Amino acid sequence: GEKVSEQKQTFYLTTPIYYPSAKLHIGHAYTTVAGDVIARYKRLRGFDVMYLTGTDEHGQKIQKKAQAEGKTPKAFVDEIVAGIKELWKKLDISYDDFIRTTDERHKRVVQKIFKQLLEQGDIYLGEYEGWYCVDDEAFFTDRQVQDGLCPDCGRPISKIKEKSYFFRMNKYADRLLRFYEENPGFIEPESRKNEMIQNFIKPGLEDLSISRTTFDWGIKVPDDPEHVVYVWLDALTNYISALGYGVGDDAKYKKYWPADVHLVGKEIVRFHTIYWPIFLMALGLPLPKKVFAHGWILVQGEKMSKSKGNVIDPVPLIERFGLDAMRYFLMREVPFGSDGVFTPEAFVERLNADLANDLGNLLHRTLTMVEKYHQGVVPEMVEGATEYDEAFRELALNTVKRVEAEMDKFQFSVAATAIWELVRAGNRYIEQTQPWNLAKDPGKHHLLGSVLYHLLEVLRMVSIMIQPFMTQTPSKMWAQLGLEEGPQTSWESLAAFGGLRPGTQTKKGNPIFPRLDAKEEIEAIYR
Ligand code: ME8
């Protein structure tokens, strides 16, 4: 048999499954890139990663949209899902599986779960009366609805009355509170937890309506085909149906569940930290280790959303500025957990400052000097060549530690900032050591070589650390630094300073991030 100690530690993470009701925008890209950054980082650290994304395809809204376009719901979603997969390809998203709620593998699990919960008495048949917003696929109480308008999107909302299956939520409220207490890291950021407790759990959880008879684009309730399962029980189950839970081959379920983290936008944290844990408790299954709620990307002060028509499409930005620029900006600009604003000005400014001036410049300057002063060959490092070396080396090694700590906390923007502090220190080190002056004195040639070595080695370390964020730049840097992917580009090689082998032939190329004409580029984005 296998030895447990030789098995890799697993890491299972998920994004929300998105509604394929329209083309996705930069907000969806934000969550999915963040997930990809985690997935890539964990793989680099030796984990056996399972990264899941997908689509939430049922419901009245999609049925109506399809009808309006004269298509069957399935044909309608198939087209959008194909576009979503294209987008993830353009963003280099390394997902391991893509679950669709229309997949047979998913439907079977939802029906099985429904049946079990009904037999157990957690679900009962009753009557639902209330407000339902088709656009948000959400139900609201009388108190929440004013002037017949949806409290979320502001559109007219209708009152409906129909037979419905209900889930007895409140039965699990105390257990849920105890779980929060015993698992302090379950909801992040912490402020979201208090919101859940004060606004939803403490006032008492209402029984949750989990079926509908007013439309039929959904998973049929077993033995009562007039009903389709209402969206959240269907949607949330994706996180285990994708692993084969409960039907046939459940090897993946056994291997990866419970999830290490569900990434979600803050507007759906309630469903993930109240409904989902309660469904799992009722099923007697372990709960996910963490739900991380990130903030919103705002445009002109408002949440970007399909219904407001203020969405930004990432594709033209990728095409004009490059994939790595897009990924870097998304992860660097906004602290994960807070809201952030997208503006063309900030975008172009960030690319010019961090990518062209800092990183691109450091690589290009360094390789130009190595070519000019050392025939393009990596020199030897000598101890104590300049008074700046030790601090520079220490900063490099400390940066590795900081990046590791921040990545483990999903603080991507802090991790990226730490890497860029090192890059800027590299440019400063050039000013401090003035290699061009050392070059004038033949007796100092070994000192000059050592300075260049420090710069090249830091560039190597940076190229390794940026891998989760950037998927194209590291190999471009390696080509110029004369490195091949392998031990010298592994995360483990960051443990000590000096992994770069003297004698390696570098190969200077064009600047990897040319400076942008800010005015022209900003205007181009506005167009
Ligand atoms: O809610 N800023 O799907 P959805 C940041 N199907 N993130 C944003 C964003 C923005 N402006 N806009 C969207 C659903 N997102 C359900 C989920 S899960 C079992 C079911 C991201 O298509 C963010 O992750 O409306 C948000 O939670 C998600 O897209 C909502 O996607």
Side-chain angles (χ1 to χ4, degrees), residues 316-336:
L317 293 173
I318 298 169
E319 278 164 5
R320 191 168 182 107
F321 300 97
L323 169 62
D324 281 356
M326 184 79 245
R327 289 176 58 114
Y328 175 74
F329 177 79
L330 288 175
M331 292 298 101
R332 168 63 184 84
E333 194 70 9
V334 186
F336 206 58

Side-chain angles (χ1 to χ4, degrees), residues 111-125:
Q111 289 183 325
K112 187 189 151 97
I113 285 175
F114 195 103
K115 209 167 175 166
Q116 184 187 333
L117 295 173
L118 187 66
E119 279 163 11
Q120 279 174 204
D122 286 302
I123 293 178
Y124 66 94
L125 184 61

